[in-house]
Amino acid sequence: MARVARIHRFVASVFTAGRTAGEAPSTTVAEIHDAHADFVFRTLQRLGIPASDLEDVLQEVFLVVHRRLHTFDGSSRLSTWLYGICLRVAAAHRRRAYFRRERATSTFDDTIADEPGSDPESLALREEARSRLERALDTLSLEKRAVFVMFEIDGLSTNQIAEIIGTPVGTVYSRLSVARADFARAVERQAKRDGQRRRR
Amino acid sequence: MTRMRPWLEEGDAPPEVAELLRSARRSRPLDAAARARSARRLSALSALPAAAGVLLWAPHAALGAALGAIVTTAVVAPRILQAPAPAVPERASSAPSSRSGREQGRPPALPAPMESASEPVAQAAPPSSAVGRLPVVREPGEHDLSREARSLEHARELLARSPAEALSLLTRHAREFPDGTLAVERELLTVDALLRLGRRSEAEARGRALQGRAPGSLYERRLEKMLGGAK
């Protein structure tokens, strides 16, 4: 019975051009892209997608949106629904073995050269620090990573983060606390490993 | 609840942590060029049905079929063509469709386009070639669908100016995605390419076979139009 109901809902959605309950009458994938592509793009960065893969993974997310829009019933914010899709797509990306290999070569894009203090030595030091930052962030679960980056790096408030991820603010606080502890441990382990390598 | 402040503002981050956080760069926005590229790719994708098998059910609803008929068609359709399940879990945070797709039976793959002259077809390098010796477990997930759709989009763009090249691309597509989600779209494009190349009998054979697999579907009407116009 539930499957029949889902089929019925889906078929109805085909003839309502992507209209979903709780949304504006004609919300299409193109309209969602117009309104939320930037949010999705930033979210994927917060989830650790390398710069070289961002546009491809952005399209993957909107592919899922294209295929699954009929399942969105408006019971959550659209941005929360999109965030959930980003999480799953990023998780699949992370599972693929080559992601870790590509990390070393594609973390940074060419905009790094436009930053202040762009002499070669400053750039090298900054790049090295960012590489260590990314390695430490990669040890966090995606949910913790996203919250940590949104708060500590992108400067979003806990209320904004709670709205995005669709949880109470208290959950944001607790996730942040755990993320900080995990991040600090990862940085400490990294420093020890790097120190051991230098002594060899 | 004490309001939290960013770690750097609170001043109690360990020195190594503080150093890394100070080096961090904020997420960058989607620039205009990338946005335009993304929108173009999306508009090409949107011209394809969201899921080949699922949309086979649509005409039956349009005819006001009873719910039972829709169920019957829904049961029959997955045996005809691959149909990623629209029957997704209720919560928005459901598993990716690739997993629900795998839970259903997978129908036989559609044949690759026939070529008048054989040509060596380079197999697409699997992602494992990019990772050296690490084994790569490839899941037929969204990443594959993206590649599958992009390849078909390219083939469709080539149809008007170079149907031979489009057909070659579709042949490679069939080899790379023998059980692909967009197998029906590929077959439609193949019929179109064959017609443009004047290979009408082949086009008609492929078209009739596709119609036989998906009677009463949206594709049936499109195929009728294509094949009818070729006569």
Side-chain angles (χ1 to χ4, degrees):
Chain A
M1 220 27 222
R3 184 164 181 261
V4 165
R6 283 193 294 267
I7 292 165
H8 189 60
R9 274 206 305 274
F10 171 78
V11 169
S13 75
V14 170
F15 293 95
T16 53
R19 201 172 303 161
T20 54
E23 285 291 327
S26 350
T27 304
T28 64
V29 179
E31 287 165 347
I32 293 173
H33 183 274
D34 282 345
H36 297 282
D38 184 74
F39 164 73
V40 171
F41 190 71
R42 289 180 192 265
T43 299
L44 293 175
Q45 292 172 71
R46 292 161 181 160
L47 292 169
I49 301 298
S52 56
D53 292 345
L54 273 171
E55 285 196 40
D56 277 351
V57 181
L58 177 69
Q59 194 197 16
E60 286 185 39
V61 169
F62 279 98
L63 264 165
V64 178
V65 172
H66 172 64
R67 294 181 67 204
R68 303 284 286 269
L69 186 56
H70 65 282
T71 68
F72 178 67
D73 59 7
S75 57
S76 67
R77 286 171 171 264
L78 183 58
S79 55
T80 303
W81 186 71
L82 290 171
Y83 175 79
I85 294 174
C86 290
L87 263 182
R88 291 195 293 281
V89 171
H93 194 279
R94 195 182 239 199
R95 278 197 298 274
R96 290 191 285 270
Y98 67 78
F99 169 82
R100 292 193 180 85
R101 289 298 176 94
E102 285 180 4
R103 168 56 79 200
T105 57
S106 64
T107 304
F108 308 112
D109 57 30
D110 54 14
T111 60
I112 194 172
D114 300 328
E115 294 178 18
S118 295
D119 58 281
E121 189 179 349
S122 301
L123 281 177
L125 285 171
R126 205 173 301 146
E127 186 169 330
E128 195 265 340
R130 286 178 181 159
S131 178
R132 284 188 284 130
L133 171 69
E134 291 295 326
R135 287 205 307 273
L137 287 173
D138 283 347
T139 67
L140 305 181
S141 70
L142 286 180
E143 289 85 352
K144 288 202 278 283
R145 189 197 210 280
V147 168
F148 186 87
V149 171
M150 281 193 272
F151 188 75
E152 306 289 1
I153 297 173
D154 282 350
L156 271 65
S157 70
T158 48
N159 285 339
Q160 286 172 313
I161 296 170
E163 274 184 15
I164 288 170
I165 68 177
T167 65
V169 174
T171 303
V172 175
Y173 278 120
S174 60
R175 205 169 281 181
L176 253 179
S177 299
V178 175
R180 280 181 174 181
D182 288 352
F183 184 78
R185 275 195 294 274
V187 170
E188 192 184 343
R189 278 198 304 270
Q190 228 179 66
K192 280 186 183 152
R193 271 200 305 269
D194 293 346
Q196 284 165 356
R197 280 198 207 108
R198 278 194 290 272
R199 280 196 291 275
R200 288 194 196 130
Chain B
M1 189 182 299
T2 309
R3 191 170 154 269
M4 275 174 97
R5 292 183 297 146
W7 216 349
L8 285 179
E9 279 182 30
E10 287 181 353
D12 61 354
E16 302 88 1
V17 167
E19 181 202 349
L20 297 193
L21 288 178
R22 276 193 293 270
S23 77
R25 194 174 45 192
R26 292 188 171 202
S27 311
R28 61 184 172 90
L30 185 64
D31 64 46
R35 174 184 284 272
R37 282 192 296 273
S38 179
R40 270 198 305 276
R41 288 159 94 178
L42 185 65
S43 69
L45 172 69
S46 296
L48 296 172
V54 170
L55 275 184
L56 293 176
W57 304 332
H60 294 267
L63 294 170
L67 208 55
I70 293 174
V71 172
T72 303
T73 310
V75 169
V76 167
R79 292 198 283 110
I80 297 171
L81 289 162
Q82 179 173 348
V88 294
E90 297 299 331
R91 293 174 63 237
S93 56
S94 58
S97 61
S98 59
R99 287 206 275 279
S100 53
R102 286 203 299 279
E103 288 161 9
Q104 294 196 353
R106 296 176 84 86
L110 294 171
M114 293 178 283
E115 294 277 12
S116 57
S118 62
E119 66 169 23
V121 174
Q123 290 292 327
S128 57
S129 66
V131 294
R133 289 181 294 276
L134 275 185
V136 173
V137 176
R138 293 198 57 207
E139 297 176 353
E142 309 305 355
H143 184 77
D144 285 337
L145 180 60
S146 176
R147 288 193 302 112
E148 199 185 337
R150 243 195 333 267
S151 180
L152 275 190
E153 176 192 334
H154 189 203
R156 189 174 54 191
E157 285 168 357
L158 286 171
L159 266 179
R161 67 174 190 271
S162 179
E165 208 178 330
L167 192 61
S168 175
L169 192 59
L170 291 165
T171 302
R172 284 197 290 277
H173 188 282
R175 289 192 176 124
E176 188 176 355
F177 305 104
D179 297 320
T181 301
L182 304 175
V184 172
E185 286 75 12
R186 179 179 66 228
E187 198 64 6
L188 274 173
L189 292 175
T190 302
V191 170
D192 195 341
L194 289 168
L195 285 171
R196 288 170 193 264
L197 290 168
R199 290 158 62 175
R200 193 171 65 202
S201 57
E202 287 174 73
E204 284 180 351
R206 303 283 293 235
R208 299 288 170 229
L210 187 56
Q211 284 174 321
R213 291 187 190 104
S217 69
L218 289 173
Y219 298 117
E220 183 174 42
R221 290 200 290 274
R222 197 185 300 181
L223 280 168
E224 288 285 356
K225 202 172 164 186
M226 283 166 60
L227 296 172
K231 289 182 184 157

